[in-house]
Amino acid sequence: MLDLRYVVENREVVLDMLRRRGLSVEAILGQADPWALDVERRSVLQKVEQLRHRQRVAGEEIARRGKAREDATELKAEMKGVAEEIKALEARLQDVQARLEQVLLLLPNVPDSSVPVGPDASANAEVRRVGEPARFAFAPKSHWDLGPELGILDFDRAAKISGARFAVYSGAGARLERALIQFMLDLHTKERGYREMIPPYLVTAETLVGTGQLPKFEAELFKTRAGDKDLYLIPTAEVPLTALHRDEILDAGDLPRKYVAFTPCFRSEAGSYGKDVRGLIRQHQFHKVELVKLTTPETSAAELESMVADAEEVLKRLGLPYRVVLLCTGDMGFWSAKTYDIEVWLPGQQLYREISSCSSCTDYQSRRSSIRYRPAPKDKPRFVHTLNGSGLAVGRTFIAVLENYQQADGSVVVPEALRPYMDGLERIVK
């Protein structure tokens, strides 16, 4: 969340930020006014402090009268009333603070000054293109045709089992998915310095509040009941990886912390019905290799650039053409201050499609999760900066391999980088 002092002292900046993100101030804040709530909070707090001061002074006077054997009945009665008034004011203060915190949870992060301003994806800025899309001597097919024809993807049986937006991988398809996961993990751990983790796939509401998915995006999550509490299926490994150090103070010498995890991800895709309904593009369940960093404010900008390079390296070694795009204010995530999307070329669809999103969240998540570090042994703790990115979305990489390496006879050549993970298999055939 944003720092309360920052919000209070920068009213117009915050309101302008919401407008630049294309958000309705009324839709975000509703009837709640954080600036009015803060004025009320300060007023109540001042009254409480004045009454407590009166209690201390009266206590000393009562003690003095006791020693002097003087009557203090009237003063004691007055203090009883003061105590009741303080109790009522403290309850009011707690209510105001709770309402103020709820408002702060609904405010998005402030975009970095380098982020282009715009309402939607049309204002995104292309940073670079790498690799040339292949020219086919035949009409390239989409993966939703290639996969079933090769017998490695089955959407119909998945629908019979679970409904729409699921897939069954089989044979060489299952092996290809597993090979991509292993290849990505090996690259990030052996060459790029990430520590591999296997986090829980079910998390508490508190964890999701910490990373920003709750309370705003509950409709996009799958929830289940475990005993007397709710647990949520993770939408991405970013959630449990970022929460690893919740309520901790880290040593500056241990930063940056670099984590990588392969997990299944679960998303309800609320509001996306009728959009990307074919194939693997928008599934309720999919695989992803996620990168997360915890770092200092001074190094977070450089760490974001290196994270993008880490994700790009996967595509380079697979020989897949792609482009990097800097998202505008109206297209980036709620908790992001700056986001690069990496989009891979899909010849079967004749477009670039997002395969990774790498974001700097500055101290937005760490403030919500209370993740801090101490610059020096006796220094006051500061909030870390959190970063996350896909390294990569496995299902979409699977799509890119099928579509870019398809052959005229319907087979698919296995990229050389993946062959060691597939027992030397060079081609997927029907």
Side-chain angles (χ1 to χ4, degrees):
M1 66 174 70
L2 301 181
D3 179 39
L4 174 59
R5 177 179 290 182
Y6 175 86
V7 173
V8 169
E9 295 178 354
N10 296 275
R11 179 190 178 103
E12 292 308 315
V13 173
V14 171
L15 292 176
D16 181 60
M17 175 269 290
L18 293 176
R19 288 188 285 265
R20 284 189 290 120
R21 276 181 168 270
L23 300 173
S24 163
V25 175
E26 292 74 20
I28 294 293
L29 299 178
Q31 299 301 312
D33 185 331
W35 299 279
L37 285 171
D38 184 65
V39 169
E40 183 179 358
R41 180 186 69 87
R42 291 170 183 266
S43 175
V44 174
L45 188 58
Q46 184 180 31
K47 289 178 182 178
V48 170
E49 291 174 348
Q50 289 172 345
L51 290 172
R52 284 177 176 162
H53 175 71
R54 173 64 181 140
Q55 276 185 322
R56 288 192 294 271
V57 172
E60 293 172 358
E61 177 62 15
I62 290 171
R64 187 196 66 76
R65 292 186 186 185
K67 290 181 180 179
R69 297 183 180 279
E70 296 176 5
D71 182 37
T73 304
E74 185 177 339
L75 191 55
K76 288 179 179 178
E78 180 190 345
M79 288 306 100
K80 183 178 180 181
V82 168
E84 291 174 355
E85 188 175 358
I86 288 175
K87 184 177 180 180
L89 286 170
E90 286 179 335
R92 181 182 167 192
L93 181 63
Q94 188 174 8
D95 175 66
V96 172
Q97 287 176 330
R99 284 188 287 148
L100 185 55
E101 182 171 334
Q102 284 301 114
V103 175
L104 290 176
L105 289 175
L106 295 174
L107 290 173
N109 202 355
V110 177
D112 186 79
S113 60
S114 63
V115 172
V117 176
D120 51 42
S122 63
N124 293 343
E126 184 173 305
V127 178
R128 58 183 168 272
R129 293 193 181 199
V130 178
E132 288 292 328
R135 294 185 178 182
F136 293 86
F138 57 93
K141 296 179 179 179
S142 295
H143 71 280
W144 53 72
D145 291 323
L146 280 167
E149 289 173 8
L150 286 168
I152 61 175
L153 281 178
D154 195 325
F155 297 107
D156 294 335
R157 287 190 172 91
K160 179 173 65 176
I161 297 167
S162 304
R165 297 186 187 273
F166 290 94
V168 172
Y169 296 73
S170 65
R175 290 179 67 192
L176 177 59
E177 180 91 348
R178 180 158 48 92
L180 284 166
I181 294 165
Q182 190 64 55
F183 164 67
M184 293 177 193
L185 288 173
D186 281 353
L187 172 61
H188 294 311
T189 57
K190 295 179 179 179
E191 299 185 33
R192 315 300 280 200
Y194 290 84
R195 180 178 179 83
E196 185 176 353
M197 312 294 286
I198 301 179
Y201 304 156
L202 288 162
V203 296
T204 64
E206 183 181 12
T207 299
L208 287 157
V209 168
T211 49
Q213 279 80 10
L214 289 179
K216 185 172 175 60
F217 301 101
E218 182 156 12
E220 298 180 13
L221 303 169
F222 284 110
K223 181 167 66 174
T224 188
R225 193 75 177 166
D228 60 349
K229 66 179 179 180
D230 291 330
L231 289 175
Y232 295 80
L233 288 163
I234 59 171
T236 166
E238 167 202 339
V239 173
L241 290 180
T242 303
L244 284 171
H245 298 289
R246 191 177 70 209
D247 299 323
E248 293 182 23
I249 298 177
L250 306 173
D251 292 332
D254 292 334
L255 299 178
R257 294 286 183 106
K258 299 170 60 175
Y259 298 122
V260 60
F262 152 72
T263 67
C265 303
F266 306 91
R267 298 183 186 177
S268 72
E269 294 296 345
S272 68
Y273 295 99
K275 181 180 180 181
D276 296 327
V277 293
R278 298 192 70 183
L280 299 172
I281 293 295
R282 200 175 295 275
Q283 298 266 289
H284 288 311
Q285 172 189 309
F286 58 95
H287 294 147
K288 188 148 68 83
V289 171
E290 185 75 3
L291 309 174
V292 165
K293 292 183 182 182
L294 306 181
T295 189
T296 65
E298 293 78 12
T299 59
S300 66
E303 291 294 348
L304 175 61
E305 299 297 328
S306 69
M307 177 179 281
V308 174
D310 295 335
E312 286 184 80
E313 188 63 23
V314 177
L315 294 171
K316 288 178 179 178
R317 297 200 186 184
L318 292 175
L320 297 171
Y322 66 91
R323 67 176 185 173
V324 178
V325 176
L326 177 61
L327 300 193
C328 72
T329 53
D331 196 34
M332 65 185 194
F334 187 78
W335 43 87
S336 172
K338 184 174 184 177
T339 297
Y340 290 103
D341 271 6
I342 304 174
E343 300 177 348
V344 69
W345 175 253
L346 300 180
Q349 300 167 54
Q350 290 293 297
L351 51 72
Y352 284 96
R353 177 75 77 164
E354 177 200 337
I355 198 168
S356 174
S357 195
C358 297
S359 300
S360 167
C361 301
T362 58
D363 62 0
Y364 187 85
Q365 294 178 325
S366 61
R367 193 177 296 278
R368 294 167 78 114
S369 299
S370 188
I371 309 172
R372 297 176 292 169
Y373 76 102
R374 205 180 297 277
K378 294 184 179 181
D379 286 353
K380 181 180 178 181
R382 301 174 64 192
F383 289 105
V384 302
H385 277 202
T386 63
L387 301 92
N388 62 77
S390 310
L392 302 165
V394 182
R396 294 192 177 192
T397 312
F398 182 100
I399 293 170
V401 169
L402 288 193
E403 294 196 9
N404 281 278
Y405 283 92
Q406 62 182 295
Q407 306 298 304
D409 62 1
S411 65
V412 172
V413 171
V414 176
E416 288 188 16
L418 296 179
R419 293 176 188 176
Y421 300 96
M422 299 187 70
D423 297 325
L425 184 68
E426 296 182 2
R427 189 181 294 255
I428 298 172
V429 297
K430 186 174 180 179

